[in-house]
Amino acid sequence: MQVSLTQFMTDNDLDNQLLSEMQTKGFVTAMAAAPYMIDPSEWLAFMWGGEEESPFSSHEQLEQYANIIVDMWNEQRGALLSAEWQWPEGCALSDADIVTADTRLYCEGLLQGWTLARDDWEILMPEDSQESALLGGVLLSISLLFDPEAALPTLEAQGAAELAQFEEIYKGMPVMLCGLTQRAAQLVEEA
């Protein structure tokens, strides 16, 4: 039976040495959405801050962690391509803080992952293409959900009802992210 990421991190006392579970899920989702598969060996070190030396005490421990991450990638890729991706449990809107801490962490991980695949996205969906609006909309939405306080003055200046706007963005994210992933896969296949 596969151990969960949280359980693995707790059992191996790695909670403060790896990205949090939500950041990891967001990062892996960004990698799964990427138009071209980037080998996990190229980005796995980002999970422990990009340090050359991993925090694992043995090769077996690193292998177990890598297997959890690859399984997560496979699950996210399948969900994105089949339009079944949903926000992970814990991600939600919040009356007090607009979005929950888990939502912020997840979006932070997503944004970190996007930076690694940025060149691929920009080549596949250049600024003057029809698809660039979809890409830009997804990235803007993730950024707004990551830092809603910074976005509020802009939204208010445009006359948007603040929480209603965030609710719309949050609820629309599954359709947007799945659509972007599917369109990218289609463009890669056609190329």
Side-chain angles (χ1 to χ4, degrees):
M1 184 181 115
Q2 175 81 300
V3 63
S4 74
L5 177 60
T6 303
Q7 191 64 53
F8 172 82
M9 289 167 59
T10 303
D11 290 350
N12 294 289
D13 198 27
L14 293 165
D15 290 327
N16 297 322
Q17 297 178 55
L18 299 169
L19 292 181
S20 74
E21 181 175 14
M22 277 301 166
Q23 288 170 306
T24 299
K25 285 180 177 182
F27 192 100
V28 172
T29 300
M31 293 292 92
Y36 301 100
M37 185 183 158
I38 301 171
D39 191 302
S41 65
E42 294 182 38
W43 51 265
L44 201 57
F46 283 91
M47 301 299 170
W48 54 84
E51 301 295 322
E52 280 189 39
E53 203 169 305
S54 79
F56 305 104
S57 59
S58 68
H59 179 72
E60 291 76 23
Q61 199 179 55
L62 171 59
E63 195 173 311
Q64 186 181 12
Y65 179 74
N67 287 335
I68 292 169
I69 297 301
V70 169
D71 287 348
M72 189 183 293
W73 185 94
N74 286 328
E75 183 181 310
Q76 293 301 305
R77 182 74 176 170
L80 288 163
L81 289 174
S82 64
E84 294 174 3
W85 179 87
Q86 294 295 318
W87 287 100
E89 194 174 321
C91 289
L93 295 171
S94 161
D95 288 337
D97 300 314
I98 303 173
V99 295
T100 63
D102 280 347
T103 306
R104 285 177 196 259
L105 290 170
Y106 189 84
C107 289
E108 180 181 3
L110 266 172
L111 292 170
Q112 290 170 336
W114 283 104
T115 60
L116 279 184
R118 182 179 177 175
D119 289 346
D120 289 343
W121 282 110
E122 288 176 354
I123 290 167
L124 191 66
M125 298 180 174
E127 209 173 299
D128 57 352
S129 71
Q130 185 178 341
E131 288 82 9
S132 72
L134 176 60
L135 176 60
V138 170
L139 290 174
L140 177 62
S141 296
I142 294 166
S143 299
L144 291 173
L145 292 169
F146 167 63
D147 190 6
E149 287 84 6
L152 277 177
T154 306
L155 290 175
E156 287 171 354
Q158 295 173 354
E162 56 194 65
L163 290 178
Q165 190 74 16
F166 282 102
E167 185 175 359
E168 200 173 302
I169 293 167
Y170 179 84
K171 287 182 175 179
M173 184 54 66
V175 171
M176 290 191 303
L177 193 55
C178 291
L180 179 66
T181 306
Q182 291 166 351
R183 182 65 183 132
Q186 182 183 13
L187 290 171
V188 167
E189 202 172 287
E190 291 169 1

